[in-house]
Amino acid sequence: MTVLSDTRVLGSNADAAAAATGTTARVWEALRTVRDPELDTDVVSLDFVAAVEVSDDGVAHVSLRLPTYFCAPNFAFLMVADAHDVVSAAAGVSRADVVLIDHFASDAINTGVAARAGFVNSMAGTEVGEAVAELDELRRTFTERALMAGTDLVVRPLMREGATPEQVAAMTLGEAVALSGASDDLRRLRTRRRELGIPSDDTDPLVVDPTGRTVGVDALPLHLRKARSYQVGVDANTSICRGQLAARYGV
């Protein structure tokens, strides 16, 4: 079903989510768990949700939008597929109808996600082009990058406050919490570690590489420079995407 024009989100997603009630509010909350893999930020915070409507019989209609017509179809597919999964599981939703609008691969992505066809089958025979593999490896690659960027966000403030490289290399997650509190950045870092299968208890080391190996003090400077470069890239790409979305949709 096409989403009615009067359900289109004209302001920020945050405002629309805050005003929602009942099942619609639960759909918005579910969408907060869906993130742009490259930006490591959820689609609600990015204003990527164009419309949310829940019918009386619990059918949730969600439209997603992206900053440009030519945003990468693999990332777009992941976001639409993830949104379909979490909205379908939201309490009170009987069926999810999640679509991507205003994108060159919308038809292929929407049809494929609705059919649970996977990325390769969704792209096969379309004008978008053939896909050679599913997106599990791509998702892991960008989760590893998010882990590195998240390490920068957590460790840099600690070192600004006087923590030495020796202390950081020996520090556990629990010790980081004791020093800086349970910050959003630290909670997100734990989440990315769990997604990668890396231990994230209080007794586990704070700084690890994407395979879960502890980074010693000798390797720490280079590791943190790499982490910083990933976070700078995320910040730059996020700024560009926000600007493009604002220019395109006026949000």
Side-chain angles (χ1 to χ4, degrees), residues 40-161:
D40 196 33
T41 303
D42 70 90
V43 295
V44 176
S45 297
L46 290 168
D47 288 325
F48 284 0
V49 182
V52 173
E53 179 189 33
V54 180
S55 66
D56 291 340
D57 57 353
V59 179
H61 303 282
V62 176
S63 297
L64 300 180
R65 61 191 174 198
L66 294 175
T68 75
Y69 185 71
F70 290 106
C71 284
N74 46 10
F75 292 145
F77 187 93
L78 281 175
M79 285 183 272
V80 176
D82 288 352
H84 187 280
D85 288 345
V86 300
V87 171
S88 296
V93 172
S94 61
R95 180 172 63 83
D97 172 31
V98 180
V99 297
L100 177 66
I101 63 171
D102 304 336
H103 188 273
F104 81 98
S106 289
D107 289 345
I109 290 172
N110 296 339
T111 300
V113 168
R116 305 282 187 152
F119 186 62
V120 172
N121 287 335
S122 298
M123 298 300 111
T126 72
E127 68 281 4
V128 180
E130 300 296 318
V132 298
E134 293 300 330
L135 302 177
D136 294 338
E137 190 60 35
L138 178 75
R139 188 193 294 276
R140 182 172 181 90
T141 294
F142 278 88
T143 304
E144 290 176 351
R145 294 183 183 184
L147 171 70
M148 291 292 288
T151 299
D152 172 69
L153 291 175
V154 171
V155 172
R156 196 155 36 93
L158 291 172
M159 299 190 79
R160 279 202 306 264
E161 292 298 317

Side-chain angles (χ1 to χ4, degrees), residues 20-31 86 90-93:
T21 59
T23 302
T24 303
R26 290 190 286 273
V27 169
W28 277 105
E29 192 61 28
L31 290 169
V86 300
V93 172

